[in-house]
Amino acid sequence: MLTVESTRFGTVEVPDEAVIEFPNGILGLQGRKWTLMARDPDSDFLWLHSLEDPSLALPVTNPWLFFPDYVVEIDDNDAKRIGVQTPADADVYVTVRAAEALEDFRANLRAPILVHSGQAHQIINQIPEPVQAPMFNAVTETADEVALETSVG
Amino acid sequence: MLHITRRAGQTIRIGDDIVIEITEIGGSHVRIGIDAPREVQVLRDEIWQAVEEENRAAASSDADLPTPARADAEQG
């Protein structure tokens, strides 16, 4: 059992089997040992929390809760590297950029996180999904325009 | 930065186990083949940077996230 003094959530006990190792780390963030925390059983979001930096955590979600038609295609090299052939072999999460307004929430569908046997990798989806996909239906069409713009490249 | 001139079909070796081959040159594009160890992640730099930025932005998210019920309430 590990104890994390989370700056967001206070003291959190993490069982050893809940430790997730990112052998290649997470792009732009420090550390290789993380865990998934559910703060609220009714929430669609989990927190990917660092076990090395108590202030480092990012919300993630099951992408199919928000994007039922979402498809992840794993590059052959990645499949060999991470030992996961298809998304069905792993738990799939996407990172969430939270915001004050729901219509500004974004999910990164281009770089899903695949968790498998205590190890996790953030891979690049071979299907060029947007890096910033709007998660909640906006009242206007603005969100769709943003989706089109961010899907380029 | 080291600059090396190569022709199509020629290669560059980095260390013991990374080989980069210029496979095709055409117009403004160059096609490159990369042989690298399995544990080395090879990505286009613009994708690498975009993912880095998203990860950092996600990590600055506030601890208070909506539940689906709250989402419905605020949208309704």
Side-chain angles (χ1 to χ4, degrees):
Chain A
M1 186 76 84
L2 288 158
T3 304
V4 183
E5 298 294 339
S6 168
T7 56
R8 284 180 179 79
F9 309 121
T11 305
V12 181
E13 304 267 302
V14 179
D16 291 338
E17 60 271 22
V19 176
I20 298 170
E21 187 201 1
F22 281 74
N24 298 108
I26 304 179
L27 288 183
L29 304 176
Q30 298 289 319
R32 284 174 163 60
K33 302 265 183 224
W34 297 73
T35 192
L36 281 167
M37 292 180 185
R39 296 305 301 167
D40 175 352
D42 293 330
S43 175
D44 291 333
F45 302 103
L46 294 172
W47 284 86
L48 184 61
H49 203 299
S50 171
L51 296 176
E52 295 161 16
D53 179 347
S55 69
L56 188 53
L58 51 161
V60 298
T61 190
N62 173 342
W64 289 284
L65 292 176
F66 293 88
F67 308 94
D69 301 328
Y70 181 53
V71 175
V72 177
E73 201 177 292
I74 305 173
D75 173 68
D76 287 347
N77 290 326
D78 278 343
K80 285 183 198 139
R81 186 168 62 89
I82 69 179
V84 174
Q85 296 295 326
T86 78
D89 295 338
D91 293 328
V92 179
Y93 300 95
V94 293
T95 63
V96 173
R97 182 195 276 249
E100 297 237 331
L102 286 174
E103 58 263 33
D104 293 332
F105 272 61
R106 296 287 181 272
N108 182 354
L109 301 184
R110 191 67 200 275
I113 292 169
L114 275 49
V115 183
H116 167 71
S117 305
Q119 285 209 338
H121 294 86
Q122 189 171 30
I123 64 152
I124 301 300
N125 192 352
Q126 291 309 292
I127 297 172
E129 295 274 8
V131 174
Q132 294 182 14
M135 301 180 69
F136 295 94
N137 288 331
V139 183
T140 66
E141 287 177 8
T142 315
D144 292 330
E145 286 163 19
V146 169
L148 286 173
E149 280 166 23
T150 52
S151 68
V152 175
Chain B
M1 186 182 281
L2 174 67
H3 295 266
I4 303 173
T5 303
R6 299 270 69 190
R7 296 177 189 284
Q10 293 186 320
T11 56
I12 295 164
R13 186 173 281 266
I14 301 173
D16 285 339
D17 42 21
I18 297 179
V19 176
I20 295 173
E21 181 183 354
I22 311 302
T23 53
E24 196 183 310
I25 302 170
S28 59
H29 290 79
V30 176
R31 200 168 167 78
I32 295 171
I34 301 161
D35 252 335
R38 213 175 252 187
E39 63 274 13
V40 175
Q41 193 171 20
V42 179
L43 288 177
R44 291 173 176 84
D45 189 50
E46 62 271 22
I47 292 180
W48 183 292
Q49 288 188 27
V51 173
E52 233 181 37
E53 190 191 324
E54 278 317 294
N55 286 345
R56 290 199 179 119
S60 66
S61 296
D62 194 73
D64 188 26
L65 292 175
T67 62
R70 276 181 54 189
D72 290 343
E74 289 189 27
Q75 276 184 71

